[in-house]
Amino acid sequence: MALCLTTALAHVGLVFLHVAPSNVVSQRFSAQVDAWIYPFFEQNWRLFAPDPDSVNRQISARTAHTAPDGSVQVSGWVDLTAVDASAIEHNAFPSHTSQNMLRRSWTSYVELHGGDDVPRSERAVMMQRYLRNIAADRMTEQDGKPFENIQLRVVTLPVAAQGSTDRERRAAAVKNAETRLLPWWKVAPDA
């Protein structure tokens, strides 16, 4: 009971220091506060001022495994976004995590890396690992085969204008689609 109470009080204190205006205490312990908050307890105002996505993203992954004979075996692409969508499609009470974990990790990755996939801060490195681990976990669930490397592909499709026909939507999506291929990432056995 004492451990639960201590953990709850520490959590409330750290969240308070994160959302409070900058002060001597929050500045002195900023590294510890950030280590506790990111990426799981991040606070933002999107609940009160939502900024809905104006694009649809299809995040896919593939893996690579070095066979005993030295050849590299690359899997086919697995649409991780479609897996998430199917998990919530007929669920009356879908998990918030199922709906947003992959999407939010990608959004944070793009915000911190820009277009060149080079991390420029410790937080960017952390978000890269977070995205890689989510993809690796999902690929392990899908396939179950061992792999040492993983690669992501993100296809961004603009949301069609209201009142467009299906044919116009498909044509606009194909014409305006952007594909981003991330570099191969090494996956540790314990990641």
Side-chain angles (χ1 to χ4, degrees), residues 97-133:
T97 304
S98 298
Q99 296 178 52
N100 296 314
M101 181 184 286
L102 184 62
R103 181 180 58 85
R104 289 281 295 132
S105 65
W106 172 251
T107 303
S108 296
Y109 177 87
V110 170
E111 288 172 0
L112 294 168
H113 285 79
D116 61 3
D117 299 312
V118 176
R120 291 180 178 79
S121 68
E122 285 299 316
R123 184 152 190 253
V125 171
M126 180 192 65
M127 285 311 301
Q128 181 176 326
R129 287 184 193 137
Y130 183 58
L131 180 60
R132 180 201 63 202
N133 290 345

Side-chain angles (χ1 to χ4, degrees), residues 16-93:
F16 174 78
L17 289 174
H18 177 70
V19 298
S22 183
N23 59 58
V24 175
V25 176
S26 65
Q27 290 173 357
R28 183 163 188 260
F29 296 104
S30 67
Q32 292 85 355
V33 170
D34 287 349
W36 180 260
I37 295 295
Y38 296 112
F40 301 110
F41 304 114
E42 182 176 359
Q43 302 291 309
N44 61 47
W45 291 99
R46 290 190 182 139
L47 174 65
F48 303 106
D51 182 17
D53 285 336
S54 58
V55 295
N56 289 320
R57 289 185 183 87
Q58 175 192 23
I59 303 172
S60 304
R62 67 180 175 176
T63 59
H65 173 67
T66 304
D69 66 357
S71 65
V72 177
Q73 300 170 345
V74 177
S75 72
W77 289 103
V78 174
D79 186 352
L80 302 178
T81 306
V83 172
D84 285 357
S86 68
I88 63 172
E89 188 172 344
H90 298 291
N91 188 341
F93 301 103

